[in-house]
Amino acid sequence: MVESLKDFRRSKYCGEVSLKDTGEEVSLCGWVHRIRDHGGVIFIDLRDREGVVQVVVEERTNPDVYEKAGRLKPEWVVGVRGRVRRRPEGTENPKLRTGYVEVVCEEIRVFNTSETPPFPVDEETHVSEETKLRYRFIDLRRSSMRENLLFRHRLYQITRSFFTEKGFVEIETPVLTKSTPEGARDFIVPSRLHPSKFYALPQSPQLFKQILMVSGFDRYFQIVKCFRDEDLRADRQPEFTQIDYEMSFVGEEEVMEIAEELLDRLFRELLGVELKRPFDRISYREALERYGTDKPDRRFGLELIDLSEVFRETEFRVFRSALEKGGVVKALNLRGVSLSRKDIEELTSYVQGLGAKGLAWLRVEEGGVSSPIAKFFSEKERSLLLRKTGARSGDVIFFSADSRENVYRILGNLRLHLGRRFNLIERERWDALWVVDFPLMEWDEEEGRFLSLHHPFTSPREEDVEILREALKTEDLAERKRLVHSVRARAYDLVLNGEEIGGGSIRIHTTELQETIFKLLDIGEVEAQEKFGFLLNALRFGAPPHGGFAFGLDRLVALMRGLDSIRDVIAFPKTQKGICMLTSAPDYVTPKQLREVHIKVDG
Ligand code: ASP
């Protein structure tokens, strides 16, 4: 049944056969996509990586081949030799690249048969994610998955030529290494040769790319796998890909310019889309104040409105106590949507899921308001509130009164939820936005110390360095917090349609400043040496001023393809629980393997 490939060589991809080939003989290799027997004529849709072409087998002209074609089944691997002809008028399929032609079959070779696949190779059948991932080799035959991966391939190529043209050098950094400072948990790999010792998989090439700057490779880039052992939140992957770069003798403007130019080029070449440049910039503080998040989706309005001043003296206990505790009262004004009681209940349970106690709301009506809480407001508060929110009849205002962080989180999420639920988002628009002026560090209540917002190698603004030195001198924690919180980082995040697609910073390049930062972060000398000694050492030997950036490639590709999940643009992704369904990794290893790496496991 199975035949040899001997003397049979492909002349073209199925998906590439076109009118230009009319009259020519072609040899195609592929998978039987669909087969239709019309009695006397069999149509085979033959599929390969580039697409599908229609093959016609006629009993009248070729009875033997016809008989063979009748035995083919979906997903068998075959070779077809035949002549290309224009499809008869009325049977063309303009939706297919090959839709104007067909191949009149003269020979079929069966290279292999196939079991019946667990799901058909089409876009229509609903298949559970688990099954798709378990049979990823079949899932990847679907045209959407094929196109995602081919798109991703083109994106790599454009990226590589872009950086090469700009004078960047591609250098690989180690995968078996030491902990890197991105703040997530490391994946660790035991060492056989060094009992009790472990490698860490890199969370990013951060330290190595900085060292490359010290070595004088003043423009580096890499398309690189990174690993972070995080609790699996929605749509994260434990291993993911970054487009990573670093430059010497530059400030933030040059680093940001490269990111803009690359994105501009990718959009132009891959989607034919012109991004609005230069990208807008927004400060971290303003992003939080207006959108409740540091990655704003500006494709719709519904901004957060501060009402703290309106309610400063209010009798309404809920608002008042939030304000007295140093919190804020903010609101969203939803316009143009008529909400039912059930909608409001659903929105209430949505914010409760985010930890809010409830959802205070108010509907503006002709000549008044209707709201369970309006009776607590004074006349003045009511009119000020309507003025500040610009509310008109029909609008519904949602309130949140709590600590600043909680209000941002609750209203920021509610804003997005409303945007999606009521279709307020301009889906056709591409909105790229820089978020800048991040604070360098934030006080972490749980740990009782400052933590870097990016990583500890991010440089403070030059004009703020003095404040850091002062902060170190004071013993008064409140004063120290005030000073440190006012220090801005030379960091920048890039946000596209409300998703963070990259981030970077200008780095600290002097040992002295690095030491000050470590002191403020409460990282002792021993710990610093232990963790990042190799970088600190390098900084002592002529480190140039430098900075860089990294794009999250998977997220970028998913966004460009209009997909919600990065799993759809990764050939072999893990499930939400971090499992590779195809190989069933992570898996047990043999007792011998464990002994070799000097590990005893419980249970
Ligand atoms: N290493 C950083 C990250 O992975 C990016 C950078 O600062 O260049 O987020």
Side-chain angles (χ1 to χ4, degrees):
M1 182 62 108
V2 168
E3 295 164 282
S4 160
L5 185 72
K6 193 156 180 279
D7 305 327
F8 191 102
R9 283 300 175 268
R10 167 166 64 202
S11 65
K12 248 191 181 328
Y13 280 113
C14 301
E16 284 176 342
V17 182
S18 72
L19 277 177
K20 274 201 254 91
D21 304 304
T22 313
E24 299 288 320
E25 186 181 276
V26 290
S27 299
L28 309 170
C29 293
W31 285 258
V32 174
H33 187 57
R34 248 181 231 122
I35 180 152
R36 302 181 300 280
D37 191 340
H38 284 202
V41 191
I42 291 176
F43 292 100
I44 305 164
D45 287 344
L46 191 63
R47 186 194 67 236
D48 63 20
R49 171 189 117 174
E50 297 299 320
V52 173
V53 70
Q54 176 164 296
V55 176
V56 196
V57 198
E58 293 165 338
E59 184 176 23
R60 187 173 48 85
T61 49
N62 236 326
D64 292 350
V65 183
Y66 177 81
E67 198 253 329
K68 197 168 183 182
R71 279 183 272 130
L72 298 181
K73 298 258 156 43
E75 301 313 311
W76 284 24
V77 189
V78 298
V80 164
R81 194 173 50 74
R83 214 162 276 283
V84 180
R85 77 174 178 206
R86 188 181 242 288
R87 284 198 199 181
E89 218 173 310
T91 65
E92 298 103 332
N93 180 358
K95 275 196 243 136
L96 273 186
R97 256 210 289 175
T98 59
Y100 289 91
V101 290
E102 57 193 10
V103 176
V104 184
C105 184
E106 281 156 26
E107 181 192 352
I108 293 180
R109 291 252 193 127
V110 175
F111 299 131
N112 211 344
T113 58
S114 165
E115 289 180 22
T116 306
F119 49 87
V121 179
D122 63 24
E123 300 298 317
E124 294 84 43
T125 314
H126 176 78
V127 185
S128 77
E129 170 115 62
E130 257 194 45
T131 310
K132 276 203 254 179
L133 292 181
R134 177 164 296 131
Y135 294 94
R136 191 62 159 178
F137 41 88
I138 293 184
D139 191 38
L140 291 182
R141 290 179 189 171
R142 291 190 301 122
S143 63
S144 60
M145 288 307 299
R146 266 182 1 236
E147 276 160 27
N148 291 346
L149 294 187
L150 295 175
F151 182 95
R152 186 175 169 126
H153 159 75
R154 290 201 300 280
L155 185 133
Y156 295 143
Q157 305 317 316
I158 296 171
T159 301
R160 288 211 159 89
S161 50
F162 171 82
F163 278 111
T164 308
E165 280 161 32
K166 296 274 174 197
F168 286 75
V169 179
E170 183 168 3
I171 302 177
E172 288 176 80
T173 50
V175 171
L176 292 177
T177 180
K178 236 176 123 108
S179 194
T180 46
E182 305 295 345
R185 204 174 287 121
D186 290 320
F187 279 102
I188 52 176
V189 180
S191 160
R192 178 178 60 85
L193 297 176
H194 302 278
S196 308
K197 292 195 173 173
F198 291 79
Y199 300 98
L201 303 184
Q203 293 182 35
S204 83
Q206 185 62 34
L207 303 182
F208 289 102
K209 67 174 173 173
Q210 290 194 232
I211 287 175
L212 286 169
M213 295 305 109
V214 181
S215 303
F217 290 95
D218 63 314
R219 288 182 161 216
Y220 137 97
F221 86 100
Q222 189 181 187
I223 297 178
V224 62
K225 270 289 175 76
C226 301
F227 306 85
R228 296 184 191 174
D229 189 5
E230 289 177 298
D231 293 330
L232 295 153
R233 274 177 279 154
D235 211 29
R236 288 282 182 105
Q237 285 285 309
E239 58 179 300
F240 59 95
T241 306
Q242 283 190 347
I243 302 171
D244 191 45
Y245 66 93
E246 194 77 8
M247 309 162 77
S248 293
F249 309 113
V250 293
E252 36 280 72
E253 291 304 326
E254 289 96 330
V255 181
M256 291 162 87
E257 176 64 21
I258 290 288
E260 284 203 18
E261 279 183 34
L262 173 62
L263 205 61
D264 183 68
R265 175 122 161 223
L266 292 172
F267 268 79
R268 203 184 294 266
E269 291 191 16
L270 291 167
L271 299 181
V273 165
E274 194 103 3
L275 294 176
K276 182 176 157 279
R277 287 194 60 206
F279 301 162
D280 288 344
R281 296 183 188 191
I282 190 171
S283 75
Y284 172 74
R285 199 38 57 227
E286 187 182 343
L288 288 175
E289 281 295 317
R290 291 174 56 190
Y291 303 97
T293 168
D294 60 0
K295 40 180 183 155
D297 188 342
R298 300 188 307 171
R299 294 172 303 159
F300 66 114
L302 202 64
E303 293 185 18
L304 278 59
I305 305 159
D306 201 305
L307 298 176
S308 306
E309 287 321 306
V310 175
F311 292 107
R312 188 68 62 201
E313 306 292 325
T314 188
E315 295 295 313
F316 183 38
R317 226 170 13 88
V318 180
F319 286 7
R320 186 168 186 136
S321 80
L323 290 167
E324 277 169 0
K325 282 190 223 139
V328 290
V329 178
K330 281 180 164 279
L332 296 174
N333 180 8
L334 182 64
R335 175 162 299 164
V337 175
S338 87
L339 292 182
S340 65
R341 186 148 288 278
K342 198 150 162 280
D343 289 329
I344 295 202
E345 276 165 24
E346 184 263 323
L347 295 171
T348 307
S349 55
Y350 174 77
V351 295
Q352 280 167 340
L354 297 169
K357 285 192 202 75
L359 181 60
W361 60 273
L362 177 150
R363 191 197 315 271
V364 185
E365 288 169 352
E366 222 52 75
V369 298
S370 103
S371 157
I373 55 165
K375 56 179 179 283
F376 302 112
F377 298 163
S378 71
E379 203 42 60
K380 186 166 157 229
E381 283 162 4
R382 196 179 306 187
S383 76
L384 271 178
L385 134 78
L386 294 180
R387 175 136 34 97
K388 270 219 127 172
T389 53
R392 298 200 301 244
S393 175
D395 293 359
V396 179
I397 298 171
F398 297 103
F399 302 88
S400 175
D402 204 327
S403 67
R404 209 170 263 285
E405 296 70 42
N406 283 345
V407 168
Y408 290 154
R409 193 170 46 79
I410 289 161
L411 289 189
N413 279 302
L414 179 61
R415 173 177 179 271
L416 282 179
H417 183 75
L418 292 169
R420 291 188 190 124
R421 172 108 157 48
F422 298 108
N423 266 327
L424 308 176
I425 302 173
E426 245 183 278
R427 298 258 171 212
E428 298 305 303
R429 183 166 139 205
W430 291 105
D431 181 45
L433 175 70
W434 286 109
V435 182
V436 294
D437 285 343
F438 287 88
L440 187 68
M441 301 175 192
E442 269 182 347
W443 179 257
D444 188 276
E445 271 313 328
E446 237 168 74
E447 296 208 17
R449 63 187 184 106
F450 292 105
L451 295 180
S452 303
L453 231 74
H454 279 79
H455 46 61
F457 307 105
T458 299
S459 174
R461 285 265 197 100
E462 271 171 58
E463 61 269 34
D464 292 351
V465 171
E466 230 7 81
I467 308 178
L468 284 177
R469 298 217 170 92
E470 251 176 72
L472 253 192
K473 280 189 219 137
T474 170
E475 290 297 318
D476 177 357
L477 185 60
E479 176 62 2
R480 185 179 270 197
K481 279 190 198 170
R482 191 187 66 77
L483 287 170
V484 170
H485 284 156
S486 73
V487 173
R488 288 154 304 169
R490 296 180 73 182
Y492 28 83
D493 274 2
L494 187 52
V495 175
L496 184 64
N497 292 358
E499 305 267 9
E500 188 196 323
I501 56 162
S505 61
I506 297 300
R507 329 293 182 189
I508 296 165
H509 70 284
T510 64
T511 319
E512 192 261 316
L513 184 55
Q514 190 64 67
E515 279 168 1
T516 310
I517 299 287
F518 281 153
K519 273 191 202 131
L520 279 165
L521 291 171
D522 218 3
I523 300 179
E525 242 168 79
V526 179
E527 188 187 347
Q529 268 308 322
E530 160 86 10
K531 279 192 172 152
F532 319 116
F534 61 109
L535 177 69
L536 301 179
N537 201 20
L539 290 185
R540 290 174 23 233
F541 292 89
H546 63 284
F549 188 85
F551 281 99
L553 183 144
D554 310 291
R555 171 66 47 214
L556 177 61
V557 177
L559 271 168
M560 291 180 84
R561 299 284 301 160
L563 298 166
D564 289 333
S565 171
I566 61 172
R567 294 191 294 281
D568 285 342
V569 300
I570 298 175
F572 303 107
K574 314 250 179 313
T575 62
Q576 297 255 356
K577 291 197 175 119
I579 293 167
C580 172
M581 295 301 292
L582 193 69
T583 63
S584 29
D587 211 344
Y588 299 105
V589 297
T590 62
K592 178 164 175 276
Q593 283 173 302
L594 284 176
R595 271 196 309 281
E596 279 172 348
V597 293
H598 322 279
I599 284 186
K600 278 203 184 87
V601 287
D602 282 339

